[in-house]
Amino acid sequence: MPEKKKNKTCLRVGITGGIGSGKTTVCRIFAALGVPVYDADYWAKWLITNDPEVKLAIEALVGPEAYLADGSYNRTLVASVVFHDKDKLAALNAIVHPAVERHSAAWHDRYAALGKAYTLKEAALMVESGSHRHLDFLIVVTAPEALRIRRVMERDHLPETAVRDRLKNQLPEAEKAALADFRINNDGTQLLIPQVWAIHQILTVRARLDN
Ligand code: ATP
């Protein structure tokens, strides 16, 4: 009797970091190495607009005005409601985060079936949302706050106050870095490509050892 083929290990790797730390820039390098990258912030927005169950749950929470007549998400209205109501914000997160978790798990399984060594999930609020608990490894990209703020101001043409407002939703970088299996230093003193390459080698070998 032929031995039953064991499912190959495909590691779940997450990448996070503070605003403007360079997550997307780093993910582009991983993608260039052939690593599948899941952009959790993009897919959260997609699910809010396209997933019927998520839409129903948000309408039940906020009211039918959460969506405009053309079906598009009324982000401004929903944001204004949850901004003043912590319980509603928690309830909204309890709708969206599990939906992203299910969607990313199905996405990961497709690449696992293709024999990929690992997939990479990028999320700004990965630690804040607790989704890092579903990973095999966590990468944290770090850079000093002043540099991160300057990079985002230049990228998004925003005043400093607007960038600092976004920072308020985020845990301090040190708390995220303490949870990291791998850190990528993006303060401009170290090249990114060699750092990504070193992590890629370790993860590829690790997945092979697990098989
Ligand atoms: P956000 O938290 O807003 O999603 P992010 O962590 O994904 O941001 P990026 O968008 O990758 O960060 O980087 C922020 C800006 O800084 C971008 O304009 C990017 O091109 C620039 N940047 C990132 N890393 C470097 C670097 N090492 N040298 C110069 N510019 C950089």
Side-chain angles (χ1 to χ4, degrees):
M1 270 250 297
E3 205 180 304
K4 196 170 173 237
K5 208 176 158 204
K6 182 177 168 248
N7 277 342
K8 280 195 165 178
T9 299
C10 178
L11 301 169
R12 290 178 169 78
V13 182
I15 184 162
T16 192
I19 184 170
S21 56
K23 300 176 289 296
T24 305
T25 307
V26 168
C27 282
R28 285 198 192 112
I29 304 172
F30 277 103
L33 294 171
V35 178
V37 178
Y38 184 92
D39 179 342
D41 299 335
Y42 167 84
W43 284 110
K45 286 184 193 134
W46 188 89
L47 289 164
I48 285 171
T49 310
N50 295 288
D51 185 305
E53 274 182 39
V54 171
K55 289 178 84 168
L56 276 177
I58 292 177
E59 279 177 343
L61 179 71
V62 179
E65 58 278 16
Y67 292 88
L68 300 171
D70 65 359
S72 62
Y73 184 50
N74 193 345
R75 183 171 302 280
T76 314
L77 177 119
V78 176
S80 71
V81 171
V82 300
F83 190 76
H84 302 288
D85 188 334
K86 276 201 165 158
D87 291 340
K88 279 229 162 94
L89 176 61
L92 181 65
N93 285 335
I95 295 166
V96 178
H97 291 158
V100 173
E101 222 45 70
R102 284 192 298 275
H103 185 262
S104 62
W107 171 90
H108 171 89
D109 289 347
R110 286 200 294 279
Y111 285 102
L114 292 173
K116 288 283 179 185
Y118 68 100
T119 65
L120 190 59
K121 181 178 176 183
E122 176 194 359
L125 301 178
M126 184 165 272
V127 174
E128 291 82 346
S129 71
S131 73
H132 65 294
R133 295 195 205 101
H134 305 288
L135 301 168
D136 298 304
F137 292 99
L138 179 66
I139 302 170
V140 176
V141 185
T142 63
E145 188 175 289
L147 180 59
R148 293 193 277 121
I149 291 174
R150 198 165 71 232
R151 284 177 178 162
V152 175
M153 285 168 66
E154 278 171 22
R155 185 195 60 194
D156 297 345
H157 310 290
L158 284 173
E160 183 174 341
T161 47
V163 182
R164 286 197 179 276
D165 271 353
R166 289 198 207 165
L167 263 171
K168 285 181 193 154
N169 297 325
Q170 305 196 343
L171 279 175
E173 183 176 78
E175 281 186 43
K176 296 180 189 188
L179 297 169
D181 299 290
F182 303 99
R183 289 182 208 171
I184 294 181
N185 176 359
N186 191 23
D187 67 0
T189 64
Q190 279 176 263
L191 293 174
L192 289 176
I193 293 175
Q195 295 185 73
V196 169
W197 179 246
I199 296 170
H200 179 66
Q201 295 296 311
I202 294 169
L203 291 172
T204 307
V205 170
R206 180 60 196 259
R208 239 186 260 137
L209 289 175
D210 282 357
N211 285 316

